Amino acid sequence: MSHATAVADKRPSTLRGASLPKWSPWAIAAGAIVVAVGIGLGAGLNSKIQWGLIAGVLFVAGTYGIAAKVEGSRQAKDRIATSLVWVAFILAVVPLVSLLWTTIARGVKVLDVYFLTHSMGIVADSEPGGGIYHAIIGTLEQVGLATLIGAPIGILTAIYLVEYGRGSLAKAVTFFVDVMTGIPSIVAGLFILSLMLMFDMQPFGFAGSLALAILMMPVVVRSTEEMLKLVPNELREASLALGVPKWRTILKVVVPTSIGGIITGVMLAIARIAGETAPVLLLVFGNPFINNNPFEGAQASLPLYIYQQYSQSAGSTAAYDRAWAASLTLIAFVMILNMVARGIARWKAPKTGR
């Protein structure tokens, strides 16, 4: 290799233009925050939300201006898209973190073992004491029964649509599933309530389970349908080529391959119905005492308990604190379900070789 060639190899490439350092987004964000605080204080804006919005606008504008000057307009457009994504992410996370922090700060005041293991009983809503044991039992029984009804129907419906669904019947089922996905929860409650009035029935826990199952089924159908579509057709064809019947292929090949995603969808559907209040208010009616039988008599639930305590909280600090503590318990319940769903999805995910 000649000396001239070696010198040429050591020269920096001229095809690569100027680029901002990796720390530049953080520096621009810090500058935008400082300027936004200055503008807020100078303009007399007391809301930190307004400061944050000003900082977001300055961050996007500053990123585009600096990137356009240093890197060119094409790279600046890429950076402004990234900046918009980050700003949207922060706008979504801040309310969630604020809600969680407020719930924890106010819910821990009365959340203890006594609160979790006692019912309201003869305790008045305006008096301190009492707990949510009866509401926890009601929620577990109502959601459990709704899952036993809605999950199998939803999974089997999804299997039909993916594996067998052809023609007008499949199109009709898909249409009604789409309609049920957007149905308000109060409509499901009114439907079950109309049946109860026809048969002259009193409020009971299983009626709420039926309404919750109606809300759960379309969620399970949609999530299971998407998971089944992800199974490669080669697996089905290989099984059928070996002479395995179609129903056995579905049972032994298709479902086991997608079982992690199916269980995750069911768990998310459970989390979705666990916080429903309107159907429970219409059909279960609430009960301050412990009722372990969901097929007879009024029953409590956590969402209904929160609504009732908050509605009675005017002039009563005890009811207000109990409502926040029950809200924290419900959030913890939903969070545990999501963690279990993720754990099962990882456990049942197909193992990939090297």
Side-chain angles (χ1 to χ4, degrees):
M1 182 181 295
S2 64
H3 178 71
T5 305
V7 173
D9 291 340
K10 293 180 180 179
R11 293 175 182 173
S13 175
T14 58
L15 296 177
R16 184 176 180 181
S19 177
L20 292 174
K22 294 182 178 180
W23 49 264
S24 60
W26 299 101
I28 296 172
I33 293 173
V34 172
V35 174
V37 172
I39 293 175
L41 293 176
L45 302 176
N46 298 323
S47 175
K48 292 182 174 59
I49 297 177
Q50 294 174 325
W51 296 5
L53 293 176
I54 294 174
V57 173
L58 292 175
F59 173 69
V60 174
T63 299
Y64 179 78
I66 295 174
K69 186 175 182 61
V70 176
E71 300 176 333
S73 60
R74 183 174 182 179
Q75 188 66 21
K77 293 177 181 178
D78 179 75
R79 287 189 176 274
I80 197 174
T82 305
S83 302
L84 290 173
V85 171
W86 274 105
V87 171
F89 170 75
I90 294 173
L91 290 176
V93 168
V94 168
L96 294 177
V97 174
S98 176
L99 173 62
L100 185 60
W101 174 258
T102 303
T103 306
I104 293 175
R106 297 184 178 183
V108 296
K109 293 182 180 179
V110 297
L111 184 60
D112 51 19
V113 177
Y114 178 88
F115 183 74
L116 295 174
T117 56
H118 288 74
S119 66
M120 290 303 293
I122 59 175
V123 179
D125 290 334
S126 59
E127 298 177 354
I132 58 172
Y133 180 69
H134 61 304
I136 293 176
I137 291 177
T139 296
L140 292 177
E141 291 182 348
Q142 294 161 26
V143 173
L145 289 171
T147 304
L148 291 177
I149 298 171
I153 296 176
I155 293 173
L156 293 175
T157 302
I159 291 175
Y160 166 75
L161 292 176
V162 175
E163 303 295 336
Y164 296 98
R166 301 291 185 274
S168 58
L169 179 59
K171 293 180 181 178
V173 173
T174 302
F175 172 76
F176 283 110
V177 169
D178 292 337
V179 172
M180 290 178 64
T181 302
I183 189 173
S185 59
I186 190 68
V187 175
L190 288 173
F191 172 70
I192 302 299
L193 180 62
S194 64
L195 297 179
M196 292 174 59
L197 294 176
M198 289 174 58
F199 295 98
D200 194 22
M201 302 172 69
Q202 298 298 318
F204 61 111
F206 184 66
S209 299
L210 294 176
L212 296 179
I214 294 175
L215 299 173
M216 182 181 186
M217 280 187 286
V219 180
V220 176
V221 171
R222 277 284 165 256
S223 60
T224 304
E225 191 176 0
E226 294 302 321
M227 291 300 104
L228 294 176
K229 288 180 180 178
L230 294 177
V231 178
N233 285 327
E234 289 78 5
L235 295 178
R236 298 181 176 89
E237 293 170 356
S239 178
L240 295 174
L242 294 174
V244 180
K246 187 175 181 63
W247 67 270
R248 195 170 182 84
T249 300
I250 296 171
L251 187 62
K252 295 295 184 178
V253 177
V254 178
V255 173
T257 304
S258 58
I259 190 64
I262 293 174
I263 295 176
T264 301
V266 172
M267 290 291 184
L268 295 178
I270 294 174
R272 182 248 190 270
I273 66 173
E276 290 293 343
T277 306
V280 180
L281 180 63
L282 288 175
L283 306 172
V284 181
F285 207 66
N287 189 352
F289 295 94
I290 298 173
N291 179 13
N292 294 321
N293 186 4
F295 299 98
E296 183 179 359
Q299 201 175 32
S301 72
L302 281 174
L304 182 58
Y305 178 89
I306 296 169
Y307 169 76
Q308 291 174 337
Q309 292 298 311
Y310 190 80
S311 63
Q312 299 295 328
S313 63
S316 174
T317 305
Y320 189 74
D321 292 339
R322 284 194 296 264
W324 279 108
S327 301
L328 181 57
T329 305
L330 185 59
I331 290 176
F333 174 70
V334 174
M335 186 177 299
I336 291 172
L337 284 178
N338 280 273
M339 293 175 62
V340 170
R342 289 182 177 273
I344 294 175
R346 287 178 176 270
W347 175 43
K348 291 293 185 180
K351 303 298 186 293
T352 57
R354 293 184 178 180

